[in-house]
Amino acid sequence: MRGIAGRTAEGADAIVLSGGYDDIDRGDEIVYTGEGGLDGNGRNVGDQELTGGNAALVTSQLEGLPVRVIRGSELQSAFAPSTGYRYDGLFYVEDHWHERPPEHGFLRYRYRLVRASDDGEMLVPPPPLPPDVPPRVPTTIQRLVRSTEVAKAVKALHDHQCQVCGSRIELGDGRSYSEAAHIRPLGVPHNGPDDPANLLCLCPNDHVRFDYGAIFIAAGGVVVDAASGVEIGHLRTNPDHHVGDEFLAYHRAHWAGGTGV
Ligand SMILES: [Zn+2]
């Protein structure tokens, strides 16, 4: 038993981790590989598709729906049960992306899941609070932690003007609002640096588009709409803010257009 229970429309009810895929299991944090692409002997023989359980997990992320996690004893992990299968609680899908591991070159979908707190609250970031507002509930910590001094500096350099669309959100009290987007995400398995070269100053809309791969930055700073392939502008630059091409390439490889660029 291994795989994803659920449908695209409703989201995934449960996933089973039981080895055979290159999942990463850190207990409260899991990087789960989608289903498909293997033959009966567990060899990588084809691309995975964003259908069935793989699409259901994306629905779970978009809708913020919890997923039951079940671990089997065959899982290569310190958190595997000694025998049989064990229900290990509710998790939320915090992120998904795609990649072609060089070992076999086939398209794989991957999902980062974070365990829900005991009261079932999401651990994934909720909508951001305005700047300088301290967290009121523990579940906001993850996002606010990421609003580091580095992020503040990048946002200040751009004076909160979105590097994609040029808009600036005025809060009405003299302050402006923007978000610092990590191009290559922090944390397992991406391990992007918290460095200005790995950050963009974006409006919330373009932050979401960028995080889901709805837009990506092609060579020369061209902003591309992933669905249509149309160039929609140029990344706004600031001479004091170098953006790393290697991070933009990583973003394109893992999110742009859902099937790789
Ligand atoms: Zn924008």
Side-chain angles (χ1 to χ4, degrees):
M1 183 166 100
R2 149 87 205 190
I4 306 161
R7 293 191 297 182
T8 305
E10 286 92 33
D13 300 317
I15 59 170
V16 179
L17 289 80
S18 64
Y21 286 74
D22 51 353
D23 300 327
I24 300 169
D25 186 5
R26 294 190 169 186
D28 290 347
E29 179 184 41
I30 293 166
V31 177
Y32 187 75
T33 302
E35 61 187 10
L38 302 185
D39 68 9
N41 297 316
R43 286 178 304 209
N44 290 285
V45 293
D47 287 348
Q48 291 182 348
E49 296 179 1
L50 200 53
T51 57
N54 294 342
L57 278 172
V58 175
T59 303
S60 300
Q61 180 192 351
L62 288 169
E63 304 292 336
L65 299 170
V67 179
R68 295 180 189 83
V69 166
I70 298 160
R71 289 186 174 91
S73 58
E74 290 172 24
L75 178 66
Q76 304 292 312
S77 158
F79 304 96
S82 52
T83 58
Y85 293 90
R86 185 186 65 216
Y87 170 62
D88 281 340
L90 298 175
F91 283 64
Y92 287 96
V93 183
E94 197 203 43
D95 193 13
H96 81 278
W97 62 96
H98 56 75
E99 58 193 31
R100 291 183 182 275
E103 310 89 81
H104 52 72
F106 295 113
L107 187 68
R108 292 291 177 259
Y109 286 92
R110 304 195 85 191
Y111 306 84
R112 200 170 91 88
L113 293 101
V114 179
R115 198 172 76 82
S117 54
D118 292 337
D119 59 4
E121 285 293 316
M122 293 180 74
L123 294 187
V124 297
L129 296 167
D132 307 324
V133 174
R136 283 169 296 183
V137 290
T139 51
T140 64
I141 284 173
Q142 187 162 5
R143 182 139 201 162
L144 291 177
V145 164
R146 291 179 181 184
S147 192
T148 58
E149 292 302 314
V150 177
K152 279 167 76 174
V154 167
K155 292 190 288 186
L157 268 177
H158 291 275
D159 195 17
H160 299 286
Q161 190 175 17
C162 175
Q163 286 186 259
V164 166
C165 71
S167 69
R168 179 189 294 112
I169 297 174
E170 311 287 356
L171 295 179
D173 60 356
R175 293 186 300 180
S176 300
Y177 179 80
S178 61
E179 298 185 357
H182 283 96
I183 304 168
R184 177 173 181 153
L186 306 177
V188 66
H190 309 292
N191 300 317
D194 194 26
D195 183 283
N198 188 36
L199 286 168
L200 294 175
C201 176
L202 299 178
C203 69
N205 282 353
D206 282 318
H207 191 179
V208 171
R209 291 189 186 103
F210 188 78
D211 278 359
Y212 280 93
I215 54 173
F216 60 90
I217 316 297
V222 175
V223 182
V224 179
D225 176 78
S228 64
V230 172
E231 298 181 5
I232 57 174
H234 276 80
L235 195 68
R236 288 158 189 272
T237 56
N238 179 300
D240 294 324
H241 178 212
H242 165 75
V243 176
D245 286 334
E246 68 274 33
F247 304 127
L248 295 173
Y250 188 93
H251 175 265
R252 291 196 297 273
H254 288 76
W255 285 272
T259 54
V261 173

